């Protein structure tokens, strides 16, 4: 009986330490929870009652942030689940005049990026913008060369931003 009480006492101390640790992370660095595979987003949502952070931001289109846009850019901005990928593919085919051999449409997110999509919690438009311009793909190709190719008469971007 005494050994059982000792186990329970130690277990309650461990639980208290864990609770203090989780509470401290939640208060001072909640984005650290996203580093925990599979369940990090649950820990984030459970501690402090914070909602899951948005993954779509309008920062790229706010006044003062639009210097990345060019006059001939096309922004395909349609409602979610209304044929966005099909519309992006059509816009890409128009800009390359159907030449899939020279300008392959490998992936919708590569040929027609989505600037307002935050793919990693805690990042902002400044990080996304940097990645769009500096990322090197696994095959050694510059990501930027696939969406901002010098031969393209215009660039195409995905958006769900309201007009």
């Amino acid at each position: 009986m005494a050994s059982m009480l000792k186990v329970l006492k130690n277990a309650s101390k461990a639980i208290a330490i864990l609770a203090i640790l989780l509470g401290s992370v939640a208060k001072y660095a909640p984005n650290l929870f996203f580093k925990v595979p599979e369940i990090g987003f649950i820990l984030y949502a459970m501690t402090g009652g914070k909602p899951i952070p948005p993954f779509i931001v309008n920062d790229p289109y706010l006044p003062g942030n639009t210097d990345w846009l060019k006059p001939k850019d096309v922004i395909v901005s349609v409602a979610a689940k209304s044929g966005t990928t099909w519309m992006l593919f059509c816009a890409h085919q128009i800009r390359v005049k159907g030449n899939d051999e020279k300008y392959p449409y490998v992936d919708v997110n590569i040929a027609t990026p989505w600037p307002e999509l935050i793919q990693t919690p805690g990042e902002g438009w400044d990080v996304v913008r940097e990645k769009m311009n500096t990322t090197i793909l696994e095959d050694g190709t510059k990501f930027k060369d696939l969406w901002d190719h010098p031969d393209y008469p215009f660039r195409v971007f995905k958006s769900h931003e309201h007009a």
Side-chain angles (χ1 to χ4, degrees):
M1 183 68 121
S3 65
M4 180 64 135
L5 286 174
K6 187 175 181 178
V7 168
L8 288 174
K9 196 173 190 181
N10 287 335
S12 64
K13 286 180 186 178
I15 291 170
I17 291 170
L18 181 62
I20 291 169
L21 178 65
L22 289 175
S24 297
V25 170
K27 184 173 183 176
Y28 299 108
N31 284 343
L32 287 178
F33 285 127
F34 290 113
K35 303 242 182 235
V36 178
E38 306 292 326
I39 62 164
F41 69 96
I42 296 171
L43 293 171
Y44 181 91
M46 285 175 41
T47 56
K50 296 179 178 110
I52 299 297
F55 63 92
I56 300 174
V57 296
N58 66 347
D59 297 0
Y61 306 109
L62 293 177
N65 285 350
T66 58
D67 61 325
W68 62 279
L69 291 169
K70 294 181 180 178
K72 293 183 179 180
D73 284 349
V74 172
I75 299 174
V76 176
S77 181
V78 297
K81 309 313 290 173
S82 64
T84 309
T85 302
W86 176 76
M87 184 63 70
L88 291 167
F89 177 75
C90 290
H92 174 74
Q93 289 300 308
I94 291 168
R95 78 174 167 188
V96 300
K97 298 179 172 85
N99 190 343
D100 280 332
E101 274 190 40
K102 187 172 181 182
Y103 311 105
Y105 191 78
V106 178
D107 184 286
V108 66
N109 294 311
I110 292 175
T112 55
W114 188 2
E116 70 232 41
L117 177 66
I118 303 300
Q119 296 185 3
T120 305
E123 289 183 352
W125 164 236
D126 55 334
V127 175
V128 171
R129 182 178 181 166
E130 179 71 21
K131 285 181 177 181
M132 284 177 62
N133 290 295
T134 61
T135 298
I136 305 295
L137 302 176
E138 288 181 13
D139 67 357
T141 307
K142 292 180 182 176
F143 173 50
K144 182 178 171 123
D145 290 348
L146 297 174
W147 62 266
D148 191 17
H149 196 284
D151 291 351
Y152 292 165
F154 56 89
R155 304 180 310 173
V156 180
F157 299 99
K158 175 181 179 175
S159 177
H160 287 302
E161 179 66 17
H162 304 315

